[in-house]
Amino acid sequence: MILVLKTGTTEERISEISSLIAKKFDVSAQPIFGSEATIIGLVGDTSLIPLEELEVIPEVDKLLKVQEPFKRANRKFHPDNTIVEVGEVKVGTDKIVICAGPCAVESESQIMSIAESVSGSGAVMLRGGAFKPRTSPYSFQGLKAEGLLYLKKANKETGLPVVSEITNPLQVDLMMDFVDIFQVGARNMQNFELLKELGTIRKPILLKRGFSNSIQELLMSAEYIMSGGNENVILCERGIRTFETSTRNTLDISAVPVLKSLTHLPVFVDPSHASGLASLVEPLSLAAIAAGADGLEIEVHNDPANAMSDGMQSLTPDVFSALMKKMRTVAEAIGRTI
Ligand code: PEP
Ligand code: MN
């Protein structure tokens, strides 16, 4: 439930009202100072609260019921866009954030060379998996801790904040000092123990949509992290499984505007896993920007033919650089920058 407060309500009263309601009705009451209005969002079992008791508070302008099961992620709770800070990079502003790098960190020289080239082309974040969740146990599983060391070195060298996937709640401590944002992959979107653990920290999370999960389920997974107190969540559409076999997955482009209307959280698109084919990364990237994505996560490899994972969908640094130019043109056409 949401209490919309009258304009001019003092901060002191907002905090008094919030603590009073939280105590009396055993719910969480969170003041949110928006550009249009100040509201207090109530989360918990609000069904037993007698509405008259809230309506009589002189500062309350109106009460709004939030029907959706996601509350903290709901745009009704937070009408302004949330801006997530990843190192120095702000995600969720008019400036679209491009994150690029290999599927997996394979060696020190590989990640260093890719980091330098994508940074030179204008990427502002580096990706690279150290723990790889693979369909086959016989496939390359990632360099693990060694990969994290190389990512840190690439971060130090280029200044690019680093995103890397976490596959297990026990990896939080190990990864904490080596990554700037934790990625939760499609396969772990509903690993609720992992989500709860990530709710206890304050580092940003890039939460990817599971390939068989609805938009509402994605938002409920974000809610798991946010209800633990970590509001720094970026959502990522990365393609869903359909009957279509021409592409690895089907990019649900409409998920971008749908998510932007339902939630205040920033929305990324991953055109690489969505298509599985390097030749489709350009059109899908341009479409994602046109549809309103706040950022893209793109796989780039110095030698795609010999990549240890996802070579087929990886761009060479040169192709990536040409794509950056086209993305800037589309961004400009819709009043944004890259
Ligand atoms: C990845 O980013 O390398 C990855 C495995 O992505 P997803 O979880 O979307 O499949
Ligand atoms: Mn990959």
Side-chain angles (χ1 to χ4, degrees):
M1 189 182 307
I2 289 171
L3 282 72
V4 181
L5 302 180
K6 291 183 180 152
T7 40
T9 307
T10 63
E11 285 200 25
E12 198 187 344
R13 275 297 289 153
I14 294 167
S15 125
E16 273 172 17
I17 298 167
S18 305
S19 19
L20 191 94
I21 295 174
K23 216 159 146 200
K24 187 157 183 194
F25 302 111
D26 194 24
V27 291
S28 132
Q30 191 186 345
I32 295 139
F33 300 89
S35 56
E36 305 270 302
T38 298
I39 63 176
I40 299 177
L42 306 188
V43 185
D45 186 4
T46 55
S47 62
L48 298 174
I49 303 180
L51 295 186
E52 326 70 83
E53 293 209 29
L54 300 177
E55 277 159 357
V56 294
I57 301 170
E59 289 85 355
V60 171
D61 187 20
K62 58 179 180 238
L63 297 177
L64 299 175
K65 273 218 175 286
V66 178
Q67 306 289 3
E68 296 87 359
F70 49 96
K71 311 289 179 190
R72 288 177 168 86
N74 204 309
R75 195 176 271 285
K76 289 177 189 149
F77 256 57
H78 195 292
D80 296 335
N81 288 333
T82 279
I83 294 169
V84 175
E85 292 187 22
V86 184
E88 310 263 285
V89 176
K90 289 188 169 53
V91 182
T93 70
D94 279 344
K95 192 166 162 36
I96 296 164
V97 167
I98 306 298
C99 169
C103 179
V105 180
E106 297 172 8
S107 68
E108 182 175 343
S109 60
Q110 175 245 21
I111 191 71
M112 295 305 280
S113 113
I114 297 172
E116 263 152 34
S117 60
V118 298
S119 169
S121 306
V124 293
M125 223 186 267
L126 178 67
R127 65 150 287 146
F131 296 94
K132 293 303 301 173
R134 305 302 300 280
T135 302
S136 165
Y138 308 118
S139 302
F140 175 56
Q141 303 284 310
L143 292 184
K144 307 187 178 78
E146 187 187 347
L148 296 175
L149 284 173
Y150 301 152
L151 281 170
K152 190 76 198 172
K153 189 153 186 226
N155 159 262
K156 287 243 164 75
E157 206 76 8
T158 59
L160 298 182
V162 161
V163 55
S164 198
E165 179 165 356
I166 181 165
T167 54
N168 179 328
L170 299 174
Q171 291 158 352
V172 170
D173 287 345
L174 171 68
M175 293 180 73
M176 195 56 128
D177 294 333
F178 293 90
V179 305
D180 299 283
I181 169 164
F182 285 100
Q183 174 167 312
V184 175
R187 289 155 194 80
N188 274 307
M189 190 203 88
Q190 287 189 316
N191 180 341
F192 299 116
E193 294 310 313
L194 176 61
L195 302 177
K196 281 189 242 173
E197 189 62 30
L198 295 173
T200 66
I201 61 172
R202 294 297 172 266
K203 219 175 248 284
I205 311 297
L206 180 66
L207 176 64
K208 298 184 86 171
R209 179 181 181 182
F211 34 68
S212 299
N213 289 111
S214 65
I215 287 174
Q216 178 153 315
E217 285 165 341
L218 171 61
L219 290 168
M220 290 313 291
S221 289
E223 195 76 12
Y224 259 94
I225 301 169
M226 297 173 85
S227 64
N230 188 355
E231 308 252 320
N232 301 312
V233 180
I234 301 169
L235 305 170
C236 182
E237 162 60 37
R238 45 77 72 207
I240 49 175
R241 201 163 267 184
T242 68
F243 52 80
E244 183 52 64
T245 53
S246 322
T247 47
R248 183 176 179 182
N249 291 287
T250 298
L251 178 60
D252 181 8
I253 199 77
S254 54
V256 178
V258 170
L259 282 167
K260 293 296 293 178
S261 72
L262 293 176
T263 180
H264 51 90
L265 298 173
V267 177
F268 263 42
V269 167
D270 169 352
S272 310
H273 292 87
S275 63
L277 295 167
S279 62
L280 294 182
V281 169
E282 177 182 308
L284 297 191
S285 300
L286 301 181
I289 290 174
D294 297 302
L296 296 183
E297 187 184 39
I298 301 176
E299 286 187 341
V300 176
H301 198 284
N302 51 336
D303 184 8
N306 291 302
M308 294 175 90
S309 59
D310 288 349
M312 293 256 288
Q313 66 196 36
S314 298
L315 302 185
T316 60
D318 284 351
V319 171
F320 174 71
S321 171
L323 172 61
M324 281 297 296
K325 292 194 184 84
K326 293 192 181 174
M327 290 195 293
R328 286 197 181 98
T329 312
V330 176
E332 211 173 293
I334 57 159
R336 297 181 82 172
T337 56
I338 289 190

